[in-house]
Structure formats: C-alpha cells, structure tokens
Amino acid sequence: MDLEIKDLHVSTGGKEIVKGVDLMIKEGEFHVIMGPNGSGKTTLAKAVMGYPSLKVTKGDINVGGKSIKEMKANERAKLGLFLQFQNPTEIEGVGFVNFMRSAKESLTESTTDIKQFMGEIRSYTEKLAITNGIIGRSLNHGFSGGEKKKAEILQMAVLKPKIAILDEPDSGLDIDAVKVVAQNINEVAKTNKMGLLVITHYSRILNYMEPEFVHVMADGKIVAEGGKELITKLEKEGYESIISGSKNK
Amino acid sequence: MQYYKSFNTEAMELSRLLPEEESELYKRHFIPIPLEDFAKRFSLNEKDRNEQTAIAAVADAIHQNFNLSFDLVFGSADHRINGQDEFIKVIDSEKLTEENIRGKAYTNKDGKLVSFIHAYSKKVVYVQIPEGKSVDINVLFVNNDAPLCTQVLIKVGKGAKLNLFEWHASKTKAKSMSGVLHEIVLDQYAKAEVDMLHNEDENTYVVGFSKGKIGDNGELRINYIYNGGINTRSKNEIDSSGHAARSTINEIVIGSAGQKFDLNTVIANVDADTVSDLESRAALMDKSVCILKGFADVGENAKRSLSFVNERGILLDKTAYMSSIPGMSIKNSDVKATHSSATAPIDTDSLFYLMSRGSDETSAKKLLVSGFFSGNIAKIDSPVVKSIVASLIHEKINNRTFGTVPKLNTVGVWFDTSADASDIFQGHYKYRNVKQ
C-alpha cells in the first residue's frame, strides 16, 4: 500500500499551514521529516489522518491510488493508516485495554480472542518497559510523558497498520527509553513490512534507526531531501543553513 | 404497621421548604408534571385485566437478558413475592383519599406530587432487615397503564447489610405515571446499597421521592439510574443524622428523544464526622433536557464533616440542554465542603483520537460516554447491575431507545471499573487524599 501526498495545502482558522507538500511513502519504506518548530510537520501528519478542523484547500492524499480526502479518520485507519500523536489525548474512564479491544475489533471487523489479545498487550508492555503496566489504567490518563509515547507504540504494534506516521516518538523520553522505543519501532515496522514516516526535531532517535529517505520541512514546504547523510549535515550545520540554502537555489 | 403509620406523618417532610427552592434560579429551571391529566384518568379502583400477563412478559424478558430473578414483582393491582419473604412484605396502605391528603399542609410544588402518590398507593413494600443480617433483594416494579404509585419503606437494623436492586419498568399504551416514595432508615453500623433503575417507556412520567436517615456509623449508598420515562421529577433528601454516618448518592442520567429530567437532591450532614457525597452525571442527546439541583446542607452540629456536590454533563449533540445548579448551606465552620459543576459537548480531540484508531463515530461516542460514567458505575456493588447499566448506556447510544427491555448485548459490553470509588473526593483538587 502506498501513501501519496500530492501538492497538499492545509489551512486552519483561515491560515495556511501546509503550503504544497509532495511525498510518496511505499510499503516497507522508512521516511523521516525533520524541521524547526512551526514548520507544519504536525499539521501535515494530522491532515493525513483527517483531523476535522484542518481544511485541505488544494492537492490530494491518496492511499492505494484512491483519494482519502473526504474520508473520516476511522475510514483512513481501516485502510491501514496510523498516527502516533505528539500529545495523546487523556481520556479518563476509558480503560486502555477496552479501548484497544474496540479499536482492534473495528479494524478487523471480527471479535477478539481475549486470551491471545491480552497476551499480546502484556508482551509489548514488557518489551517497551512500561513499568507501571497498562492493564487497569485509563487511556493515557495519568501517564507520564514517556509512558504516553510508549503506549502509542504499543498501539501501533498491536494494531499493525500498513503505514504509520510517528509524530515525535522521542519527545519526553529519557536516554534509555529512546533506545527501547526505537528498537520496538524497528522491529514492528520490519515484521509487518510497514511504511514509516517519523517526524522529529532531533536526530537522537535516528541513531538507533535506519531511515532511507530524509525530508526537511520549513514554512509548510519540503525544502530539502536526501538520505541519512542529510541528518548528519543538519546536525553539523543546523536547520537555518539548509533552509536558507534551499531558498538561494 | 406502626412503622408505616409513622411514615405517613414523616413523609410530609419530603416536601419541606428549602430556601433555595424559592429562588428565581430554581423556579426558572423547573419541569412540571401535569397531575391533572392523570387524576382524570385514574380511579382508586382501576385495574388492568391484562396486567398479570404484561408483568410476566416484562419479568421474563429481563430474566432472559440478564438471568436475573426478582424476589418481588410488583404491579399496580397485583404482586408476587418469589423469595426473601422473611425480609420483604407487601402490606395494605391506609385508605387514603385525595381529599384527606389535600387537607394536609404542603409547602412547595412537590407537595402535590407527594399527595398524588399517597392517594394512589394501595400497597406498601416494606423491607426490614433484622440486626446483623446480610440480605440481597431484587424487586421489579411494572406499570401497565394503571398508575403505579408505590411507597417503599426500608429499615436496616443495627449492623445489618442490605443490597436492594429496584427495576422500575412500564409497558403502557397511553400517558401514565410511575411514582415511588422511599423512606430509608439505617440503624447504627447498618449498611445499605439501593440501586434504583428507572427504565420506564416513553408514555410514562416518573416521579420519585426519597427520604433517608442514617444512624451512627451507618453507610447508605443510593445509585439512581435514570434511563427511561419521558419526564422525570425527583426529590431526594438524605440525612447523615448519626455520628460518623456516611451517604453516597450517585445519579446517572442518560437522556434521548426529548426526555426531561428535573432532579433535586439534598444531602445533609446533621451530626459530627459525617460524610455526604453527591455525584450526578448526565449524558444527553436528541433534544433531551436535564436539570440537576444538588444541594449540601451542613448543619450546626456537623463539625469535622465532609460534603461534596459534583455535577457533570456531556452533550452528545447540539439539541440537548443541561443546567446544573449545585448549592450549599454551611452552618458550622469546622467542616470541609465543596461543590463543582461542568457541562460540555463531547470532546472533539478525544473523539478524533478514538476514531483515528478505527472506531466509527457511534462506537467512539459509546466509549467516551461509558468512560464518562465509569466512576459512577464503579460505585455500584452488584456486577449484574453494573452490567445492566453499561448495556443500557450502549443501547441508548446505539438506538436511542429506552423503556421496553431490548435484547441487550451484555456479553459484548466492557466497562472500566478501574476508577477508585473509595475516595469520594477524588474528583476535586482541594480534597484529594483527604483522610476520612
């Protein structure tokens, strides 16, 4: 399954945030978008997932060759899209396991084998070193920043999307946790031949990953593209140098 | 019988005048019940010949859905006790007429409703748990076109424990009324949980009055679940009268199809070291209306007492309306008392989050509403009642129906009971981790 973003323009509250992005993510590919604060990375990710208050003013988003622009978020999820949220919503009273079961059943349109399902959740809870556990807790409610990020990766692992967009999977994580999360993302993506788009400010999580395509976003546009060597360049020269370099071209 | 006679006098207290009732705020937010309509239709001798069949049908349907049996099935003109007859009795009421009821002084709007229920109560359900006993009782009330006006007297002896589940149902062809008066008296160290599920049909007006008195170190928990009936008015006054008495009042309202709810509940800390907690939550859609008037009355002798009135509403669409009016009267300075209130539309970020994981909008709303009520459901002791309430919530959001017993999917409904129901102040920043 391919995700194709064509000349995408996205506005909110009358202000254009994404100003013409083109991007193609194929099954099994690993892409990274880096960029300074306010460059439109999160807006792009949310627009792909169908966030209601974002308006696509121009361009299209295609999955498997079909436009998903008019689809609701659940329909996009059913096609195999997954968004790991930068700031996952806390929902008090909705049990994490109950939520996961509901999501799984919606996506697969079948009932869940409870024993197997719980086993899978427990397994990833251990792999991701979620020390306080997940079972018996409300969805993201009272989770630390790190727990929230790990819980998102756990969801990705259990729901097995075809293309996952991970919005800052490393923010809020300590040094050890970054490594654990990165390793799990690698494993899940590889096992399921998942297309991956990681959005991040920093290169630290990428030290444990092998991205094939790196895109730099600034002011709502992709201003530079390359391989992993671009990350090294960014580390050395900073965003400003790359962005101003692209403007001069 | 003696106890019943004393109740008739005390019942007048149900309609005692509270200062806030005369306020413009309360007057503006008031849903009347047109008693005249019922008085014309009903006579004291009215009996529906088909009642037995109808009651049996409702009881059977509930049994099939939940494998739940009732110790007492009670209709307008007939009843049957199936078990626990040592503790539950149905006794004849005094021959009250509208005339002698009207002759007594009523002080407020609810007085008319109290007199109406008295006038049409032909039988009284009397639950008495002797000292030290622990008893579970299930009762089904079925209104079948004849008015079902019932008085329920509950007396729990010293150190005794009662779990009483009441299912109020109706199966009517025309506008009807389901009225119930409760008087609950707990002796010292007695514990009682009363779960009152109102699931009457769309023709039924629901009128409820409860009066509770809790003795020293007694604990009373009442879970009111308002799911059915086209128009509901309730007035409840629960007094923590004895030293260190505790009351927990839990109100769950799920409104659709233009249902109206006007709920006025007063929790009173009368003596020292008492704890009173009122938590009311409403989820509303389809032009439904809910008015919550919770009030904590902290008396002069209630030193070191804790009171909490918490009202929350969630509006599932733009046509629903909610008004919450929490209030307090505090006459002792050595107390902790607080109230809070919040009503909001369903959170769009939460909805998007759930939908982004594959849930369609209805399923996502079901999850959110179940989560919204999870704290209330956690307070219900009986797993069967928990399951029933969770199923009814799902049914209502799915099909927006109430009243008739639907084929509920009780197996498929998961509800989260991780909420800690033991800390009554968990929702309030000021009194988290208060040692009680």
Side-chain angles (χ1 to χ4, degrees), chain A residues 109-159:
Chain A
E109 293 181 355
S110 61
T111 51
T112 314
D113 180 330
I114 303 298
K115 201 175 167 185
Q116 188 186 345
F117 180 68
M118 295 300 283
E120 197 173 11
I121 286 183
R122 283 199 184 93
S123 156
Y124 281 110
T125 305
E126 282 172 23
K127 281 183 183 173
L128 286 157
I130 304 176
T131 46
N132 292 327
I134 282 287
I135 296 162
R137 298 175 75 183
S138 289
L139 180 55
N140 299 324
H141 183 69
F143 285 22
S144 67
E147 281 179 330
K148 281 181 184 171
K149 291 293 157 74
K150 288 178 175 180
E152 294 280 291
I153 302 306
L154 189 154
Q155 290 178 41
M156 180 184 81
V158 173
L159 299 177

Side-chain angles (χ1 to χ4, degrees), chain A residues 49-52 72-74 77 82-83 85 89 91-95 98-99 101-103 106-107 114 136 140 152 155, chain B residues 347-350 352-361 363 367-368 370-372 374 411-416 418:
Chain A
M49 208 62 222
Y51 190 69
K72 290 183 174 177
N74 59 306
F82 177 91
L83 171 62
F85 288 76
T89 312
I91 308 180
E92 190 177 1
V94 175
N98 189 13
F99 153 71
R101 166 201 174 245
S102 174
S106 297
L107 291 175
I114 303 298
N140 299 324
E152 294 280 291
Q155 290 178 41
Chain B
D347 181 52
T348 50
D349 278 349
S350 300
F352 175 66
Y353 187 88
L354 298 180
M355 288 177 72
S356 78
R357 297 298 184 252
S359 296
D360 61 41
E361 193 167 337
S363 303
L367 269 176
L368 290 173
S370 299
F372 177 70
S374 67
V411 180
V413 174
W414 285 29
F415 49 88
D416 183 57
S418 59

Side-chain angles (χ1 to χ4, degrees), chain B residues 68-294:
Chain B
L68 181 70
S69 298
F70 293 99
D71 302 299
L72 167 66
V73 178
F74 191 95
S76 308
D78 201 1
H79 70 271
R80 177 181 289 181
I81 295 178
N82 301 314
Q84 305 280 26
D85 54 358
E86 188 185 340
F87 308 108
I88 186 164
K89 292 178 173 58
V90 176
I91 55 180
D92 289 328
S93 67
E94 290 180 345
K95 290 183 180 174
L96 299 170
T97 64
E98 279 191 82
E99 199 172 66
N100 66 23
I101 289 293
R102 280 177 181 163
K104 292 178 180 171
Y106 290 102
T107 51
N108 68 2
K109 299 181 274 272
D110 292 331
K112 276 173 76 180
L113 297 173
V114 173
S115 71
F116 190 91
I117 296 172
H118 268 296
Y120 289 96
S121 288
K122 284 172 272 183
K123 303 279 183 184
V124 176
V125 176
Y126 184 24
V127 178
Q128 187 178 29
I129 311 301
E131 191 175 320
K133 290 275 184 186
S134 178
V135 181
D136 292 350
I137 294 173
N138 298 330
V139 181
L140 172 64
F141 295 93
V142 183
N143 177 337
N144 179 41
D145 283 320
L148 184 68
C149 293
T150 317
Q151 298 182 53
V152 182
L153 314 180
I154 299 165
K155 187 166 170 56
V156 185
K158 184 181 174 185
K161 191 180 173 204
L162 168 68
N163 269 342
L164 174 64
F165 173 45
E166 297 178 3
W167 184 310
H168 296 263
S170 67
K171 200 171 169 60
T172 58
K173 298 180 195 81
K175 193 188 285 184
S176 189
M177 178 190 274
S178 177
V180 60
L181 275 171
H182 280 87
E183 188 184 17
I184 305 167
V185 179
L186 268 62
D187 283 350
Q188 52 185 312
Y189 293 100
K191 281 187 178 180
E193 175 170 325
V194 182
D195 303 322
M196 293 183 209
L197 168 62
H198 284 280
N199 197 32
E200 291 88 345
D201 68 11
E202 68 281 2
N203 290 321
T204 307
Y205 284 63
V206 178
V207 178
F209 293 89
S210 303
K211 175 82 179 167
K213 280 186 178 172
I214 312 165
D216 292 351
N217 295 291
E219 284 185 40
L220 173 62
R221 174 171 292 173
I222 306 180
N223 300 308
Y224 296 98
I225 302 109
Y226 297 103
N227 185 54
I230 190 63
N231 196 338
T232 297
R233 291 229 332 112
S234 81
K235 176 74 181 290
N236 307 308
E237 294 175 21
I238 310 300
D239 295 353
S240 295
S241 308
H243 178 257
R246 295 176 67 109
S247 73
T248 305
I249 312 303
N250 187 20
E251 293 178 327
I252 296 174
V253 182
I254 317 147
S256 70
Q259 285 179 287
K260 290 178 181 163
F261 304 88
D262 183 346
L263 313 180
N264 183 190
T265 301
V266 179
I267 49 172
N269 286 328
V270 179
D271 206 350
D273 301 308
T274 47
V275 179
S276 296
D277 173 30
L278 167 62
E279 180 164 10
S280 311
R281 290 198 174 214
L284 306 170
M285 58 196 138
D286 282 352
K287 297 181 183 173
S288 58
V289 173
C290 181
I291 302 166
L292 295 175
K293 302 165 190 164

Side-chain angles (χ1 to χ4, degrees), chain B residues 234-425:
Chain B
S234 81
K235 176 74 181 290
N236 307 308
E237 294 175 21
I238 310 300
D239 295 353
S240 295
S241 308
H243 178 257
R246 295 176 67 109
S247 73
T248 305
I249 312 303
N250 187 20
E251 293 178 327
I252 296 174
V253 182
I254 317 147
S256 70
Q259 285 179 287
K260 290 178 181 163
F261 304 88
D262 183 346
L263 313 180
N264 183 190
T265 301
V266 179
I267 49 172
N269 286 328
V270 179
D271 206 350
D273 301 308
T274 47
V275 179
S276 296
D277 173 30
L278 167 62
E279 180 164 10
S280 311
R281 290 198 174 214
L284 306 170
M285 58 196 138
D286 282 352
K287 297 181 183 173
S288 58
V289 173
C290 181
I291 302 166
L292 295 175
K293 302 165 190 164
F295 194 87
D297 188 0
V298 183
E300 288 174 6
N301 300 322
K303 57 186 175 185
R304 298 184 303 277
S305 67
L306 303 173
S307 317
F308 186 23
V309 176
N310 183 9
E311 297 174 344
R312 293 278 184 275
I314 186 167
L315 305 176
L316 299 176
D317 60 43
K318 287 179 181 173
T319 65
Y321 172 86
M322 165 132 173
S323 184
S324 56
I325 314 170
M328 305 197 113
S329 161
I330 302 170
K331 299 192 181 80
N332 188 306
S333 57
D334 182 18
V335 301
K336 285 179 176 169
T338 182
H339 60 69
S340 68
S341 161
T343 303
I346 206 153
D347 181 52
T348 50
D349 278 349
S350 300
L351 197 61
F352 175 66
Y353 187 88
L354 298 180
M355 288 177 72
S356 78
R357 297 298 184 252
S359 296
D360 61 41
E361 193 167 337
T362 305
S363 303
K365 281 184 176 175
K366 265 193 298 193
L367 269 176
L368 290 173
V369 174
S370 299
F372 177 70
F373 285 120
S374 67
N376 303 69
I377 293 174
K379 287 180 180 175
I380 299 170
D381 190 43
S382 159
V384 176
V385 181
K386 279 181 202 274
S387 169
I388 289 169
V389 175
S391 307
L392 287 171
I393 291 170
H394 280 230
E395 173 65 21
K396 197 147 202 178
I397 296 169
N398 267 346
N399 301 318
R400 315 212 158 187
T401 53
F402 56 92
T404 50
V405 181
K407 287 187 177 170
L408 297 173
N409 174 22
T410 53
V411 180
V413 174
W414 285 29
F415 49 88
D416 183 57
T417 55
S418 59
D420 179 6
S422 62
D423 178 7
I424 69 163
F425 292 100

